[in-house]
Structure formats: C-alpha cells, structure tokens
Amino acid sequence: MIAALKGMKDRYSDDVKKYDAIVDASKKVFGKYGFERIITPILEETELFRRGVGDETDVVSKEMYDFKDKGERDVTMRPEGTAGVVRAYLEAGFHKSSPIVKWFYNGPMYRYEAPQKGRMREFHQTGVEMFGVRSAYLDAEIIKMGCDFLEELGITGLVVEINSLGNVESRKKYIEDLKKFMFERLDKLSEDSQKRYEKNPLRALDSKDKGDQEEFKNAPKLYDYLDEESKKYFEDTKKCLELLGVNYVVNDKLVRGLDYYSDTVFEIKSNKLGSQATVLAGGRYDRLLEILGNAKVPGIGFAAGMERIAMLMDDSIISENEEKIYVIYFDNTKEYFVKTVNELRENGIKVNFDYNAKSFGAQMKKANRENAEYVLILGEEERDENVITVKKFSTGEQKKYSFEEVLEILK
C-alpha cells in the first residue's frame, strides 16, 4: 500500500465540513469589509520568495519546497500567501491604474518542517491583503476584521497582541544595540538564536526556548528606538483599536517571522493550542512592493492557519445548517422513491438513504445512527395516495403530507 507523504494528510468528513465553514466565514466577513477573492498559483518562481520573504528567514533558508522544473527554472511551492498576491497586483499593473485594492484568499501552502500540532507540511491558510493606503485606522480595522472572522466561527477567549517595528531607519540603531546585548550572553543562547545573531537578530526575540526568553527579559526595547513618526503612528493605531472595541496587549518582543514587515504587527492567540498559540497574524509591509516591483505602494494583511482554526471550532458549527433527512423506501416503491428524491434534490433538499432497500426496521436503525431529524417514508400507501409520511425523530410525531407541504417543512 502507498501511504501519504510525511506531513501530508487526507481530509474528509468533519475536517472538510470545518474547512468549508472557514471559507464561508471568510467570504461573509471579508466581503462585508469590501474584500474580493483572488486565486494565485501554488507554484511561483523561487526568486519571488527569496526577495519578498527574505533569504535569512527560516522559511527561505530551511523550509521551502523548491526545485528545478523541466525547463530548468527554479520554482517553489508557495510557503505563504502574501508574496504571490503582491506579484499578482504588480503584474496586473494595479499600482499604476487602481492602487487601492482589497483581496482575500484561501488555499494550501507548503513548508518542509517537522509536522506539529495544527501545522503539517501541507497546510492551509486564509488571508487578506490590502494595497494603496497607509492609515492607523486601517491597521486597526484589519485587526478588528480578523477578530470578527474568528468570532463568526464561534471562537472565543482570544488575545490580540500588537507591536510596532517602526521603519527601517528606526530599526538600524536598535539592531546594533540588540546585537551588542546578544554578544554579551551569546554562549547562553540557544543554537537557533546564535545563528540569528549574525543574520536576523530580531527573530531571536520571539524564541520559544525558555532559556532565551529568560536572557531576553532585559533586552533593549524597540519602541524606545522608534522615531517620532513611528511612535505617533503606533499610538494612533492603539487609539483606533480602542474606538473599535478591540481589547489588546502590547508585546514588545513580537516581531513576526518574515522580513517584509514594518510598523504595525499583530497576532491573535489562543491558550487552547499550547505553545503554538498563534491563530491569525500579520502586519504592515510598506516596503514589500518596492522590493518586488519598485512600486512605492503601502500594504497590510494577515493570514490564518485553517488547521489551527479548525482545532478551536466547536463541532456544532458544522452541524447547525446540516440537513439530516433520511428516506425509507421498499423494492416495490422504488420508482416512486426515485421520482421523489430527484424532486427533493431539485428543490435544494439534501437527503440520505440506503441504496439497497432493506426492511423497515433496518432502515429506521440506520436513520437513527445517522441522527436523522426527519424520516420520509415512501411505502405502497404513500405511493398510491401520492403523499409522503414524515416522521420527526425527536418527538415521534408522524403524519402524511403532500410534496409541497413537505418542502415547506424541510425548508
């Protein structure tokens, strides 16, 4: 038998129903805020991620599924959604014609890393990207939209963490001082943080290593290095969050893992996921479009892991709107059954039944096992009178109805 590759997973039954619920919620909530869906290719040029995500990030240096295709081109299965959406925006020329664009996406991503709770090597994200506006209110609105999206799925008990990375100039002096701080205790830091010391010291700040966290307690704070414009922008963003009713905490060690972020960064976390607590995360990336296409257009967005969201969803979310209707018939009423089921489906009614007509008792047992809300009985009497007997399982009530009356009941 051939098995699925490590880190890849078949998804069916309730998993798929939860994914569908997540996609439906994204369409509803993001659409309410004026976002339209975009679909981008899974396969992109490797250079897109090297330039956009950053050579020194873990994603590019260790985790990408990259290879040469049959045309000897360097290609990569997308490890995240933002770079591809930015590429689509620039390639279509929106930065020249209609710079303000709001898009959202759903789809699979690929990272070659050790599978963990809520993150496989093939995983799925839903996310949003908006281009053309730099505004503290917009930053707060994007965070609020992320909260609305998770609440639409019945997820509560979440914590919003925010921080400011300032601009490139603000960070230069900070990174110099952070490296001095790290150098003084380099031998006490984890192997990962020692590697990041040279190439990406900011990433060491959100290390999950307990020893690193202890060492960084007295590290210099980035906020103290921000220029006046960056500080004001961050304060304005916090005020807008308060106006929108979003409860948040400032986490001065929140830096995000990708190089393109500046100013506002945020994460929405859950304590139900253990150490891998982040459910939705993002931030502002005003330089990314310049890096990828020499276009001075601001951008902001977020992404949410659909597997992690599914772990937090209550099963009732996927069953609330689920039709639970079971049809019972017999060999000598099969023609009436086929006609009736076809008409029910044409009217949008989802039905289930046994393809091999068994005894009445056997079919009732199966309807019970499938938690049917209604049982439709199509026996000889029903066929001759051109009616349907409807039995409501919860009460045991049973009565004959015309087809039109049954539609009213089931809809």
Side-chain angles (χ1 to χ4, degrees), residues 364 367-368 371-375 391-397:
M364 282 296 287
N368 187 41
N371 296 315
E373 185 176 354
Y374 291 99
V375 173
K391 179 182 179 70
K392 189 167 185 179
F393 241 119
S394 59
T395 62
E397 181 186 354

Side-chain angles (χ1 to χ4, degrees), residues 217-260:
K217 275 185 177 178
N218 297 316
K221 298 190 185 322
L222 178 54
Y223 183 83
D224 296 334
Y225 291 74
L226 301 184
D227 60 24
E228 289 307 309
E229 194 276 334
S230 293
K231 283 184 178 177
K232 183 179 186 306
Y233 192 91
F234 190 43
E235 295 304 317
D236 288 347
T237 300
K238 290 192 287 186
K239 285 178 186 174
C240 291
L241 284 170
E242 290 159 13
L243 287 171
L244 291 172
V246 176
N247 295 319
Y248 66 88
V249 294
V250 175
N251 177 357
D252 57 25
K253 292 184 173 59
L254 173 59
V255 296
R256 301 296 299 130
L258 307 180
D259 281 356
Y260 48 61

Side-chain angles (χ1 to χ4, degrees), residues 282-317:
R284 177 159 289 283
Y285 47 83
D286 289 349
R287 288 186 64 252
L288 180 57
L289 284 91
E290 189 172 358
I291 292 168
L292 291 177
N294 200 30
K296 292 189 176 181
V297 177
I300 186 172
F302 65 68
M306 293 171 67
E307 284 82 359
R308 290 188 180 177
I309 292 174
M311 289 165 64
L312 294 169
M313 288 169 61
D314 191 281
D315 288 342
S316 63
I317 291 289

Side-chain angles (χ1 to χ4, degrees), residues 43 67-75:
L43 203 63
F67 55 93
K68 286 189 181 293
D69 68 5
K70 292 184 178 181
E72 289 299 303
R73 291 171 291 244
D74 289 316
V75 295

Side-chain angles (χ1 to χ4, degrees), residues 118-185:
R119 169 68 64 83
M120 303 292 281
R121 287 176 173 174
E122 179 187 67
F123 58 101
H124 297 73
Q125 287 186 339
T126 183
V128 303
E129 314 294 347
M130 180 172 174
F131 309 114
V133 176
R134 176 177 168 81
S135 157
Y137 169 72
L138 171 61
D139 293 15
E141 184 180 74
I142 291 289
I143 295 170
K144 175 67 162 60
M145 184 171 70
C147 295
D148 288 354
F149 166 63
L150 295 173
E151 287 170 5
E152 176 71 20
L153 292 164
I155 300 171
T156 57
L158 297 166
V159 176
V160 176
E161 294 186 356
I162 64 169
N163 193 23
S164 174
L165 300 181
N167 51 40
V168 174
E169 291 71 28
S170 297
R171 289 200 297 272
K172 281 181 181 176
K173 174 60 177 169
Y174 175 70
I175 289 172
E176 287 177 16
D177 287 356
L178 178 62
K179 288 186 73 172
K180 290 176 185 175
F181 175 87
M182 291 176 68
F183 182 77
E184 292 170 358
R185 48 191 52 77

